Each structure stands twice: as structure tokens, then as C-alpha cells.
Amino acid sequence: MSADARVGLSVDDRVGLAELRLERPDAGNAIDPAWVSAFRSVVEQIAVRAEDGGDGRVRAVLISAAGSAFTVGGDLRHFAAHREDLAAELNAMVPPFHDALLRLAELPVPVVAAVQGPVAGGGLGLAWCSDVVLAAPQARFATGFHLLGLSGDGASSWWLPRLVGLRRAQQMLLQGRVLDADEALEWGLISEVVPSDELAARARSVAVGLAEGPTLALGRIRALLRDASETTLAEHYAREAREIVACGDTRDAVEGTAAFAERRPPEFRGR
């Protein structure tokens, strides 16, 4: 990885775990055009391998970050330097950023985030796309868009009402309520608070555990949960029926049912 890399990718082929790592610690992993380009490229690489049915398939994703901040969100120095043409600059950055976030949200494999420090603005979108969010005690969650005269990105206005309810979403987006790790856990924004010195190991353990699971089924569960609020109950019953039938035609389902009958741990392969 080059010294000026913004976002890195490593893959542990033994378990099919891809780690997307934010690598701009000197700037708080702030999001600028180069960051967006690198992020989009890494997500696309992960998506290609997650959708591959072969032995090299990515079966889970871990998002982590270098430095004291997970990400401070948009690079305000960059925006200030382009304040006379800010709308054009935002138009160049936000759509491709959102394309990558949507790709991440729709991956057919579980995503885990290890939030070791503050996360703000559009950077919150990485947490919203994750199925399991582990945070260190010093993590802070802030939108901050109202301080800049901006309406926001990263789909916080879509995710927050679903995660915490409308009134709490209004507090964060309209009034700038900042949550510490314990409050984020109480509100349902994160899954677990983990001591700082245990966060990396705990996050990897959770991600590996998911990667070793029936990832074809987990991907379908992920999609069902994400889309549930957008469908009627009748539509959801029908979709659940289609998905469980599709799962029944996988080797993992054969293995899972056999292992249960034989009273042994299953050995899933994500097929």
C-alpha cells in the first residue's frame, strides 16, 4: 500500500474475510475526492469476490480504520478550498460515494465495522451499511451537517429513522445531538461497546465467525431485514418463501440439516 493511500484492502483467503481499512489517519480519515475514488474501487473489488461462487469468494467484510478517528466525514479543508464552487464539488463527490455505499449495503455477505474513535458526517454511512457495529468507549457519533449549512449525505436521513426512530433521528440531524458509545448502544445504533485494546480482536472474531457461517443464507437474511420496511406483510411472506426455498437448494442447507440430525457442528462453505 502506498504512503498516500486513502482506503486499503486485504483478504484472508483462508476464511474468506475481506478487510476494508481507512488509511488516512493524519487527516482523521477525512473524505475527499481521492478517498471516494479509492473507497469505490475497494468496494467494487469486494463485491466481485463476494458474488463469485468459487473457492476465492469473500464471505464477510470487516471495516476498520487507522488512527484515533474512524472518520471525521467530509474533508472540510477541501470543501473550504472549493467554497466558491462547492455545489459542483459536492456533485462530483457525493453520487459516486453513494454508489459505493449502496454497493456495500447490498453485498450478499455480512459486514462488520470496528469503530475505534469518532465518526461523523457522511462517514456514518459506513456504520449504517454494517450488520454488526462494535465501538470503543471513546467513539462518538455525530452528523454535524447543520453546522455547515448542508442537508447531509451517507443516507443518514434514511437509516436513522429505521434504526432509532423519527424523534431521535430529528435530534441527531436537526439539533446535532452527539452520542457517545454507551448512548449509541442504548439507542440501537451499535451492537456492542468493546474496550479499546480488545476491539480489533473482537471485531475480527465476529467477522470470522460470520464468514464461517452459511453466508448464502446470511446474505438473504441481510437483504430481507434491509428491505422489510419497504414491503407489505403479504409481499414479505412471499419473498421469505422464495428465499428459504432458494436456500434449501444449497450445499450449506444440506450440511446444516445433516449436522443438526447428527448432533455435530456444521461445516459451512458458503455454497
Side-chain angles (χ1 to χ4, degrees):
M1 185 181 303
S2 64
D4 62 347
R6 301 296 206 254
V7 182
L9 171 64
S10 61
V11 180
D12 184 344
D13 289 317
R14 296 170 300 173
V15 293
L17 177 63
E19 181 171 2
L20 182 159
R21 187 165 176 82
L22 310 185
E23 292 281 6
R24 197 189 180 199
D26 56 328
N29 294 310
I31 300 170
D32 66 0
W35 189 104
V36 171
S37 178
F39 176 66
R40 193 178 189 184
S41 174
V42 166
V43 170
E44 183 58 31
Q45 292 175 61
I46 292 171
V48 168
R49 292 191 59 172
E51 293 161 2
D52 180 17
D55 291 336
R57 182 172 184 257
V58 163
R59 297 180 61 188
V61 179
L62 173 60
I63 304 174
S64 64
S68 59
F70 184 77
T71 170
V72 296
D75 189 330
L76 298 187
R77 290 185 178 180
H78 177 80
F79 292 153
H82 293 82
R83 58 187 177 274
E84 298 302 327
D85 57 347
L86 184 56
E89 193 65 19
L90 289 168
N91 190 47
M93 285 179 58
V94 175
F97 176 47
H98 282 182
D99 287 345
L101 285 176
L102 181 60
R103 194 84 156 108
L104 186 64
E106 293 183 342
L107 287 178
V109 297
V111 179
V112 177
V115 179
Q116 88 288 9
V119 53
L124 287 163
L126 279 75
W128 307 156
C129 289
S130 301
D131 305 292
V132 180
V133 181
L134 308 176
Q138 65 267 31
R140 297 291 182 271
F141 299 81
T143 57
F145 301 118
H146 69 299
L147 298 175
L148 304 172
L150 297 173
S151 55
D153 64 338
S156 285
S157 57
W158 192 91
W159 286 103
L160 278 173
R162 290 163 172 78
L163 290 167
V164 302
L166 178 59
R167 290 300 180 216
R168 284 179 164 176
Q170 289 167 328
Q171 286 185 51
M172 291 190 71
L173 287 166
L174 295 174
Q175 297 179 282
R177 174 77 178 268
V178 178
L179 303 184
D180 63 26
D182 289 333
E183 289 171 322
L185 179 62
E186 178 189 350
W187 280 30
L189 282 180
I190 66 174
S191 311
E192 188 178 339
V193 179
V194 181
S196 301
D197 59 351
E198 300 174 13
L199 179 64
R202 172 65 179 152
R204 180 173 177 80
S205 176
V206 170
V208 168
L210 289 167
E212 292 176 340
T215 46
L216 293 180
L218 296 181
R220 287 182 165 91
I221 293 170
R222 187 172 199 250
L224 286 166
L225 289 170
R226 182 185 63 242
D227 300 338
S229 63
E230 305 299 308
T231 61
T232 67
L233 181 59
E235 289 169 341
H236 205 75
Y237 275 128
R239 182 172 174 183
E240 273 199 348
R242 291 194 301 272
E243 298 294 4
I244 198 169
V245 168
C247 286
D249 198 30
T250 65
R251 293 181 183 179
D252 276 355
V254 172
E255 167 62 12
T257 52
F260 184 83
E262 297 165 11
R263 299 184 179 181
R264 61 173 174 80
E267 295 182 7
F268 295 119
R269 299 185 179 277
R271 299 179 183 174

